[in-house]
Amino acid sequence: MTKVRFISADGNSVSEVEGAPGDRLLDLAQADGQPLEGTCEGQMACSTCHVHVDPEDFGQLPRAEEMEDDMLDLAADVTRYSRLACQIWLSEGMESLTVRIPGAVHNMQGR
């Protein structure tokens, strides 16, 4: 199991959940009530599941594909550690993953 830590945009709230290899970060975040809209339902047609991956954990993820980079160009508050949660799948051997919700998140679905 992987310990996933979600840090709120203001840094005042931390939520920890566990996920299994093959779980998608967007699904774990939404189940935990995180404010990630995922408007396209993980089809990589929007950037509403944009997160900042902790720099210490970023290297354990596969590189973003060109299509994901293109979607991130549409997101606000992008950093070099930005990824789309719909494109992050937990893998075997991944012990932990920490992500921060970007400050510019506006979830229109009320999460």
Side-chain angles (χ1 to χ4, degrees):
M1 296 296 278
T2 301
K3 184 193 322 183
V4 179
R5 185 176 302 111
F6 296 102
I7 302 174
S8 64
D10 63 9
N12 291 329
S13 175
V14 177
S15 178
E16 292 185 357
V17 299
E18 287 194 342
D23 285 348
R24 185 171 61 168
L25 184 63
L26 176 60
D27 298 328
L28 292 171
Q30 289 179 335
D32 189 47
Q34 297 300 318
L36 297 180
E37 197 169 327
T39 302
C40 71
E41 298 180 357
Q43 300 302 308
M44 208 174 5
C46 70
S47 59
T48 61
C49 66
H50 168 226
V51 295
H52 296 158
V53 178
D54 186 274
E56 291 184 21
D57 294 334
F58 193 78
Q60 67 183 332
L61 301 175
R63 290 186 61 143
E65 295 181 13
E66 184 177 350
M67 193 169 166
E68 182 180 356
D69 281 335
D70 290 345
M71 285 294 107
L72 285 168
D73 287 342
L74 303 174
D77 196 22
V78 173
T79 72
R80 67 181 300 187
Y81 301 108
S82 289
R83 292 294 303 268
L84 297 179
C86 70
Q87 297 304 301
I88 297 176
W89 300 85
L90 302 185
S91 61
E92 199 68 46
M94 187 182 287
E95 292 182 25
S96 66
L97 179 64
T98 299
V99 297
R100 180 180 294 267
I101 307 302
V105 166
H106 297 289
N107 187 338
M108 302 306 283
Q109 294 182 342
R111 286 191 196 106

